[in-house]
């Protein structure tokens, strides 16, 4: 199958390139336009139905009309002279609130939106007075805008609403501030836009410069990046299309993660091909380059297919997770990697067949004998002193793994950068009101038999919630239109996004609700703190399930691919230790040294999958070459030296490129994204330079052909080691 695909692609390269150019670009463009139709930001919507916060969300939607895509905006109104609001000012605030609620806001269309395909968020917002500060310094309005808060079209609508509110209040001599929900999202996007653009360009330039330095060629630097960008866009578009057809909703971070992953993986696969292509062109100077390309694509295609299927299997295990954000992420990445695999077996060989030796112009490396360089010296060191190399590698990884001690999970959302207007408004509100006022924790009550509720029966529950530790005050019960459900808003004394708030919800608040709910009634606790408390429980349960399932599945795949029992054990132990080292180093940097509350709750799972799956890529490549070199006969240690010499440049370059791709996330203002970028980049570097080029070859040198037990890796004479 692999040889048939690569053979066709090298015989009919222009057809293959044309199909990818037309179909790939079209799917990529459609994906960019439609992505916001299949993403949503409601974490509670990803929780299993049996969780308390998920049940509260269902009541909020069914009984109180809460929309899943409702974006909250808090509007602060104050006098420009800093004096307390007068009666006339308060009256004007009420009048403007009514005017804003009765006026339709039209979404300004930009070049990013396509009428008919992009969502039109034009709407009449819901605006109502919320409260006035105790000292009368400002009044707060609550606004609701419906739409995907990550969509640039929604950002345009918010800015239009913001401009109108500022104009209306400005005419009355009042100033305004905006915070919460959508305002935070838009301000964050604006604050990070320039940084993300610069970092993205820097990442592209870095990848190009690395390839230019390695291959001394412009084409070898540009072609892989262009090809992988097209394929990555097509893969993301495929995921969006699949989500539209199946009705799945994606987390907003999934498309961007797919793009980052595929650029790194795709460039890696292309580099594996390029290095082997250059090696074979040197060895067979008289042979036509298309025949060489076909042979190389078939050989490397086997290793690439094995590596890609390992990643697919690892991420597919997320399908057993209970937390929907994980359950959707897994298949999405798996589908994307499959698309990249198809490109690796078709588009990439076709490009090699078309460019041939010109791919490495103007370098004269093809006319020169291959130099051993640092790769050769590394191979000789590993072959000569395998035990020393093995012990040193284990010591390095083990010392980093110690950092895991005392690790804590952080379920915070990252907050808003402190230098934004939304953050300044939030600080002004916090100076006069309790932290939980703008984001209440809500208790929803219903009768088991669906009957109308008796308001008097809720008095005890109201008093119990009011007395719960960490609760400042509780608003009077609000009933739905039929009177069959009630809502009690509890205002915590701490920030609803903090760990302290989650502790309050899980402990005293839910305990008070359980003890004080009258017989025949059911109560559920919802809100931001409750949602993240339940997410913490779901994630912890998923970690205990996904880790062993993924490890077992990867081990099974490696056994089938490597036709060995010993090699998969060596590889899994190596990447497992690499994961522990990476996680420990990340904990040390961010929690123990950086002083952050902990590591982000998704980091262990995502890091495990990336380090194990992507690290296995390099291990499969080196293992495949180890088997090939040992099959030539002769001492096993000499085979190890040759395998490292030939493979080290590809693994090292690919590792640096992939680490740069993920490392670009490390400069993000969001702490969770920054942690993910740093940890994944570090894990890739450790996988490439320590595990794949030192630890695994050293183990192979010590085990000899026993590495491939019970199937011999070669028929040649076995080394005494």
């Amino acid at each position: 199958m692999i040889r048939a695909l690569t053979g066709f692609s090298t015989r009919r390269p222009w057809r293959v390139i044309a199909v990818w150019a037309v179909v790939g670009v079209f799917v990529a463009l459609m994906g960019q336009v439609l992505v916001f139709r299949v993403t949503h930001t409601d974490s509670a919507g990803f929780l299993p139905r049996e969780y308390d916060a998920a049940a509260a969300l269902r009541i909020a939607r069914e009984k109180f009309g809460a929309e899943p895509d409702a974006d909250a905006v808090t509007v602060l109104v104050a006098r420009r002279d800093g004096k307390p609001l007068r009666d006339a000012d308060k009256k004007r605030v009420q009048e403007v609130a009514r005017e804003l609620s009765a006026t339709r806001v039209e979404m300004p269309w930009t070049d990013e939106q396509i009428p008919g395909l992009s969502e039109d968020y034009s709407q009449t917002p819901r605006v109502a007075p919320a409260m006035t500060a105790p000292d009368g310094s400002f009044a707060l309005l609550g606004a609701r805008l419906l739409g995907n808060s990550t969509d640039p079209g929604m950002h345009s609508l918010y800015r239009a609403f913001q401009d109108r509110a500022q104009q209306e209040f400005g005419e009355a001599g009042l100033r305004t501030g905006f915070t919460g929900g959508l305002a935070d999202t838009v301000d964050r996007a604006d604050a990070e836009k320039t940084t993300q653009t610069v970092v993205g360009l820097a990442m592209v330039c870095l990848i190009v410069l690395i390839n230019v330095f390695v291959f001394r060629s412009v084409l070898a630097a540009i072609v892989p990046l262009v090809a992988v960008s097209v394929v990555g866009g097509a893969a993301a578009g495929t995921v969006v299309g699949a989500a539209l057809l199946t009705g799945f909703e994606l987390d907003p971070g999934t498309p961007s993660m797919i793009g980052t992953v595929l650029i790194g993986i795709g460039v890696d696969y292309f580099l594996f091909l390029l290095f082997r292509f250059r090696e074979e062109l040197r060895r067979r100077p008289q042979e036509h380059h298309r025949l060489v390309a076909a042979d190389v694509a078939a050989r490397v295609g086997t290793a690439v297919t094995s590596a890609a299927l390992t990643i697919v299997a690892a991420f597919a295990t997320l399908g057993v997770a209970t937390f929907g954000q994980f359950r959707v992420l897994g298949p999405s990445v798996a589908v994307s990697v499959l698309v990249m695999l198809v490109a690796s077996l078709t588009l990439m060989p076709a490009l090699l067949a078309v460019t041939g030796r010109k791919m490495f112009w103007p370098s004269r490396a093809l006319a020169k004998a291959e130099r051993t360089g640092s790769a050769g010296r590394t191979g000789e060191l590993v072959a000569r002193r395998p035990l020393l190399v093995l012990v040193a590698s284990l010591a390095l990884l083990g010392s980093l793994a110690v950092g895991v001690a005392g690790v804590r999970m952080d379920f915070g959302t990252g907050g808003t950068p402190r230098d934004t207007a939304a953050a300044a408004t939030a600080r002004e509100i916090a100076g006069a009101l309790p932290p939980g006022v703008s984001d209440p924790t809500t208790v929803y009550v219903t009768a088991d038999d669906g009957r109308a509720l008796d308001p008097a029966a809720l008095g005890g529950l109201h008093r119990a919630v009011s007395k719960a530790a960490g609760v400042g005050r509780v608003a009077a019960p609000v009933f739905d239109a039929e009177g069959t459900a009630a809502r009690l808003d509890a205002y915590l004394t701490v920030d609803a996004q903090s760990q302290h708030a989650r502790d309050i919800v899980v402990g005293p608040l839910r305990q008070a609700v359980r003890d004080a709910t009258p017989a025949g009634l059911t109560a559920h606790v919802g809100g931001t703190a409750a949602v993240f408390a339940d997410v913490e429980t779901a994630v912890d349960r998923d970690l205990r399930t996904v880790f062993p399932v993924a490890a077992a599945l990867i081990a099974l795949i490696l056994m089938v691919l490597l036709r060995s029992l010993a090699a998969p054990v060596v590889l899994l132990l190596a990447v497992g230790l690499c994961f522990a080292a990476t996680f420990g180093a990340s904990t040390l940097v961010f929690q123990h040294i950086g002083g952050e509350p902990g590591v982000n709750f998704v980091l262990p799972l995502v890091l495990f999958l990336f380090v194990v799956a992507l690290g296995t890529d390099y291990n499969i490549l080196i293992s495949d070459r180890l088997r090939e070199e040992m099959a030539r006969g002769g001492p096993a240690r000499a085979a190890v030296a040759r395998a490292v010499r030939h493979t080290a440049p590809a693994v090292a370059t690919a590792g640096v490129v992939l680490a740069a791709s993920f490392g670009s996330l490390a400069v993000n203002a969001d702490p969770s994204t920054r942690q993910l970028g740093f940890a994944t980049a570090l894990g890739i570097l450790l996988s490439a330079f320590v595990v794949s080029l030192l630890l695994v070859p050293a183990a192979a040198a010590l085990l000899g052909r026993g590495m491939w037990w019970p199937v011999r890796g070669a028929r040649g004479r076995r080394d005494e080691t």
Side-chain angles (χ1 to χ4, degrees):
M1 178 66 177
I2 295 174
R3 189 169 291 275
L5 276 176
T6 56
F8 173 82
S9 301
T10 51
R11 289 193 305 271
R12 303 284 188 273
W14 286 112
R15 295 183 184 180
V16 173
I17 294 172
V19 169
W20 271 106
V22 175
V23 177
V25 171
F26 175 77
V27 174
L29 291 176
M30 288 298 98
Q32 291 178 1
V33 172
L34 300 174
V35 63
F36 300 107
R37 291 180 177 269
V38 297
T39 57
H40 79 94
T41 58
D42 186 6
S43 296
F46 288 118
L47 282 170
R49 291 179 59 85
E50 66 268 19
Y51 280 78
D52 199 41
L57 178 64
R58 288 196 300 273
I59 298 173
R61 291 176 177 176
E62 295 170 2
K63 299 295 185 178
F64 294 92
E67 295 92 350
D69 56 353
D71 299 305
V73 177
T74 299
V75 184
L76 178 148
V77 184
R79 291 177 58 90
R80 294 186 184 276
D81 57 13
K83 295 180 180 179
L85 294 172
R86 300 172 182 172
D87 291 341
D89 298 325
K90 296 177 182 178
K91 182 178 179 181
R92 181 55 182 161
V93 169
Q94 303 244 354
E95 292 173 351
V96 173
R98 286 194 295 269
E99 293 173 5
L100 292 174
S101 293
T103 306
R104 180 177 174 83
V105 180
E106 297 293 335
M107 185 188 83
W109 288 88
T110 67
D111 294 338
E112 298 178 355
Q113 286 91 40
I114 300 176
L117 292 177
S118 300
E119 193 79 23
D120 183 1
Y121 293 110
S122 300
Q123 60 189 274
T124 301
R126 301 179 185 178
V127 183
M131 63 183 65
T132 302
D135 59 2
S137 59
F138 59 78
L140 297 181
L141 303 178
R144 296 284 183 188
L145 298 170
L146 302 180
N148 187 334
S149 62
T150 62
D151 191 337
M154 191 64 190
H155 295 184
S156 298
L157 179 84
Y158 162 74
R159 294 188 185 95
F161 168 76
Q162 183 184 46
D163 292 342
R164 177 168 295 176
Q166 288 175 335
Q167 180 181 355
E168 294 290 340
F169 285 114
E171 292 175 354
L174 301 173
R175 66 176 178 86
T176 54
F178 302 82
T179 191
L182 185 58
D184 294 343
T185 301
V186 174
D187 279 7
R188 182 195 297 273
D190 291 343
E192 297 176 356
K193 186 174 182 179
T194 301
T195 300
Q196 290 178 345
T197 301
V198 172
V199 170
L201 291 174
M203 182 191 72
V204 171
C205 292
L206 179 61
I207 293 175
V208 171
L209 288 175
I210 291 172
N211 287 350
V212 168
F213 176 78
V214 170
F215 294 106
R216 302 293 196 274
S217 166
V218 176
L219 278 181
I222 300 297
V223 171
L225 193 58
V226 173
V228 168
S229 298
V230 172
V231 177
T238 301
V239 171
V240 170
L244 282 172
L245 293 175
T246 58
F248 274 106
E249 290 183 317
L250 305 177
D251 178 80
T254 298
S256 61
M257 180 173 290
I258 288 174
T260 302
V261 170
L262 290 188
I263 287 179
I265 292 177
V267 172
D268 273 10
Y269 291 169
F270 215 135
L271 287 174
F272 296 163
L273 282 168
L274 283 176
F275 274 102
R276 193 60 185 265
F277 188 46
R278 186 176 67 175
E279 179 186 338
E280 293 299 318
L281 287 177
R282 279 174 174 154
R283 195 169 65 86
R284 297 142 69 178
Q286 304 303 321
E287 194 167 347
H288 194 280
H289 65 265
R290 288 197 179 184
L291 296 177
V292 177
D295 182 46
V296 167
R299 287 191 190 183
V300 178
T302 302
V304 166
T305 300
S306 303
L309 291 180
T310 303
I311 297 176
V312 169
F315 278 92
T317 58
L318 287 178
V320 304
T322 59
F323 186 41
Q325 190 172 343
F326 291 158
R327 197 168 58 248
V328 171
L329 173 65
S332 298
V333 174
V335 169
S336 303
V337 173
L338 285 176
V339 174
M340 185 59 73
L341 173 60
V342 174
S344 301
L345 300 177
T346 56
L347 177 61
M348 295 178 188
L351 291 170
L352 293 183
V354 166
T355 56
R357 290 175 171 80
K358 294 179 181 178
M359 175 68 81
F360 303 102
W361 181 88
S363 172
R364 298 180 180 179
L366 296 181
K368 299 178 181 179
E370 182 181 4
R371 293 181 300 177
T372 57
S374 58
R377 291 191 293 273
T378 301
E380 292 173 1
L381 172 64
V382 173
R384 189 174 62 253
R385 299 288 182 86
L387 184 59
L388 175 63
V389 172
L390 181 65
V391 171
S393 301
L394 292 176
L396 172 61
L397 297 177
S399 62
L400 292 176
V402 173
V404 173
V407 63
R408 296 188 301 272
M409 294 296 105
D410 178 24
F411 288 77
T413 59
T416 306
R418 292 187 58 83
D419 57 349
T420 64
T425 301
R427 289 195 295 271
E428 183 176 356
I429 295 174
L433 295 171
V437 167
S438 59
D439 193 358
T441 297
T442 305
V443 180
Y444 292 94
V445 185
T446 57
D448 296 343
D449 57 5
R451 70 178 186 276
L453 298 176
D454 179 7
L458 300 180
L461 178 61
H462 186 280
R463 288 190 295 273
V465 173
S466 301
K467 294 178 181 178
V471 177
R473 69 182 183 90
V474 181
V478 176
F479 294 85
D480 69 326
E482 292 80 20
T484 57
R487 185 187 76 218
L488 289 80
D489 288 332
Y491 301 101
L492 304 183
T493 57
V494 296
D495 184 357
Q497 296 184 4
S498 65
Q499 178 64 51
H500 192 184
R502 294 191 292 279
D503 293 339
I504 292 172
V505 168
V506 173
L509 180 54
R510 280 183 172 163
Q511 185 61 49
V513 170
R514 284 192 294 268
D515 295 342
T517 301
L521 302 183
T522 300
H524 299 285
V525 181
T528 299
V531 167
F532 280 103
D534 285 351
V535 167
E536 183 172 2
T537 302
V539 169
D540 182 65
R541 189 168 75 177
D542 287 341
L543 291 178
R544 300 175 188 274
T545 303
V546 172
F547 276 16
V549 172
L553 189 55
I554 292 173
L556 180 61
I557 292 175
L558 289 176
M559 289 178 189
V560 174
L561 295 174
L562 299 177
R563 302 186 301 281
S564 167
L565 295 179
V569 172
V570 171
L571 298 188
L572 278 179
L573 289 177
V575 296
L577 181 58
C578 183
F579 161 74
T582 306
F583 191 35
S586 302
T587 304
L588 186 66
V589 169
F590 292 105
Q591 179 182 313
H592 298 314
I593 297 178
E596 296 188 10
V599 296
N600 187 261
F601 72 99
V602 303
L603 183 62
L605 184 58
V606 174
L607 186 60
F608 174 80
L609 294 171
F610 276 125
V611 171
V612 171
L614 298 179
T616 303
D617 270 14
Y618 304 138
N619 287 333
I620 288 176
L621 184 68
I622 188 70
S623 298
D624 188 66
R625 193 59 184 254
L626 283 168
R627 179 190 288 274
E628 180 182 333
E629 294 297 335
M630 286 186 181
R632 295 181 178 179
R637 291 192 178 186
V640 169
R642 292 195 303 271
V644 173
R645 184 177 74 247
H646 289 301
T647 311
V651 171
T653 305
V656 171
V657 168
L658 188 57
S661 179
F662 280 106
S664 64
L665 301 176
V667 299
N668 196 288
D670 177 45
S672 61
T673 305
R674 186 168 62 247
Q675 289 184 16
L676 180 62
F678 170 84
T680 310
L682 176 62
I684 295 300
L685 291 176
L686 290 176
S687 295
F689 289 92
V690 179
V691 175
S692 297
L693 297 183
L694 297 176
L695 197 156
V696 171
L702 290 171
L703 294 173
R705 289 177 175 81
M707 179 85 165
W708 313 107
W709 181 87
V711 178
R712 290 291 181 89
R715 295 181 180 179
R717 68 178 179 84
R718 182 172 180 173
D719 185 28
E720 293 181 357
T721 58

